[in-house]
């Protein structure tokens, strides 16, 4: 009888041990639905974080692209140092654009405009009677063509000539906005809305219409007579 009891007890203990072992294996090998859901959410958030990281890695390129496009500057809106004003203060002839502050020696002028009818050269000095003390040692050249006069100046020590004054009376020379002598005042105003009449601007009286960019040094002035452009002056004030 004792043997049977001992045998039954051993079977029960063995059964309990097997049950405990199986329970331990299940707890280690599988997760509860809640744990599985939390794990999935964690994995998803990690994947999203990785995705955001990839997106952020391309963000600077996009921002740089936008920054570059924002830097595009409309002509006539920037000061002289940016050379945009100089592009506006120019005229066009035979596909050549000639602007204030362009360097131009005699050979270059002849290539762009042909041989001038007249060429004068003067080097300023203390006793020349011009009272231009600030320009002593500078050499000014004046190129004269039919309906066009261009003045250049070169500082001492052999520096290149640069254009500082242009006067146009012939309609074959047009500004970069295609305004020429003979155009109406209304056409001029439409082309240069930033400009203004200096006087009363009565239609039958003479006046000057000035386009003066932000640096206040380089100027384009249109002389108006009988509500039309009679002449155009483009010039840079010399110090």
């Amino acid at each position: 009888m004792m043997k049977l009891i001992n045998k039954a007890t051993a079977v029960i203990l063995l059964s309990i041990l097997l049950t405990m072992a199986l329970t331990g294996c299940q707890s280690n090998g599988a997760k509860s639905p809640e744990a599985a859901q939390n794990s999935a959410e964690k994995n998803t958030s990690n994947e999203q974080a990785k995705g955001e990281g990839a997106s952020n890695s391309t963000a600077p390129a996009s921002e740089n692209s936008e920054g570059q496009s924002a830097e595009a500057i409309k002509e006539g809106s920037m000061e002289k140092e940016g050379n945009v004003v100089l592009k506006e203060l120019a005229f066009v002839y035979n596909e050549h654009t000639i602007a204030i502050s362009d360097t131009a020696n005699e050979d270059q002028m002849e290539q762009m405009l042909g041989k001038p009818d007249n060429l004068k050269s003067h080097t300023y000095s203390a006793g020349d009677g011009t009272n231009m003390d600030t320009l002593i040692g500078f050499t000014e050249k004046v190129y004269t063509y039919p309906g066009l006069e261009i003045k250049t100046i070169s500082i001492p020590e052999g520096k290149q000539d640069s254009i500082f004054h242009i006067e146009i009376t012939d309609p074959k020379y047009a500004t970069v906005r295609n305004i020429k002598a003979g155009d109406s005042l209304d056409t001029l105003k439409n082309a240069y809305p930033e400009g203004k009449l200096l006087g009363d601007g009565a239609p039958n009286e003479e006046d000057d219409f000035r386009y003066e960019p932000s640096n206040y040094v380089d100027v384009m002035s249109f002389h108006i007579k009988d509500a039309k452009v009679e002449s155009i002056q483009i010039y840079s004030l010399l110090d």
Side-chain angles (χ1 to χ4, degrees):
M1 183 72 178
M2 286 295 295
K3 289 181 179 179
L4 290 173
I5 292 171
N6 291 337
K7 187 176 181 179
T9 303
V11 169
I12 292 169
L13 288 172
L14 181 62
S15 176
I16 292 171
L17 289 172
L18 289 172
T19 301
M20 291 175 66
L22 289 171
T23 302
C25 289
Q26 288 176 352
S27 64
N28 291 332
K31 296 179 181 179
S32 67
E34 182 178 358
Q37 182 177 357
N38 290 339
S39 177
E41 289 176 355
K42 184 177 180 180
N43 290 336
T44 302
S45 65
N46 288 338
E47 289 175 0
Q48 288 175 346
K50 290 179 181 178
E52 289 173 0
S55 174
N56 287 338
S57 69
T58 60
S62 173
E63 290 171 2
N64 288 340
S65 175
E66 291 175 1
Q68 289 173 357
S69 63
E71 290 175 0
I73 303 168
K74 185 178 178 182
E75 286 193 351
S77 64
M78 190 174 177
E79 292 191 1
K80 184 175 180 179
E81 286 72 13
N83 290 326
V84 178
V85 165
L86 303 184
K87 293 179 183 178
E88 283 287 338
L89 299 180
F91 72 95
V92 181
Y93 178 72
N94 283 347
E95 298 182 355
H96 294 292
T97 300
I98 302 169
I100 288 296
S101 294
D102 280 352
T103 57
N105 58 32
E106 294 178 24
D107 290 337
Q108 291 170 324
M109 293 289 286
E110 187 167 342
Q111 289 174 7
M112 293 186 294
L113 298 166
K115 190 174 181 179
D117 288 355
N118 192 25
L119 172 59
K120 293 180 180 179
S121 179
H122 175 75
T123 300
Y124 290 94
S125 63
D128 63 6
T130 61
N131 294 321
M132 300 292 287
D133 293 343
T134 57
L135 297 180
I136 290 175
F138 287 62
T139 298
E140 178 183 310
K141 294 178 183 177
V142 182
Y143 298 81
T144 303
Y145 299 87
L148 174 68
E149 182 181 87
I150 297 179
K151 296 180 181 181
T152 65
I153 194 84
S154 63
I155 65 175
E157 300 176 1
K159 298 294 182 179
Q160 286 186 310
D161 300 348
S162 61
I163 298 172
F164 77 95
H165 192 279
I166 301 168
E167 184 170 2
I168 301 169
T169 55
D170 193 311
K172 70 182 177 183
Y173 306 108
T175 71
V176 290
R177 297 192 191 182
N178 200 31
I179 293 297
K180 54 192 178 298
D183 283 345
S184 69
L185 177 58
D186 288 339
T187 301
L188 173 61
K189 287 179 176 179
N190 289 333
Y192 291 92
E194 311 96 324
K196 62 179 181 180
L197 287 167
L198 300 184
D200 295 333
N204 296 322
E205 295 180 6
E206 294 188 41
D207 204 342
D208 286 305
F209 183 92
R210 179 172 293 183
Y211 168 70
E212 190 172 34
S214 57
N215 61 16
Y216 303 107
V217 174
D218 304 301
V219 177
M220 183 180 289
S221 180
F222 303 83
H223 186 69
I224 307 300
K225 185 176 181 180
D226 297 330
K228 290 184 180 181
V229 176
E230 184 179 64
S231 63
I232 304 168
Q233 288 193 54
I234 311 170
Y235 57 92
S236 181
L237 300 174
L238 297 177
D239 294 335

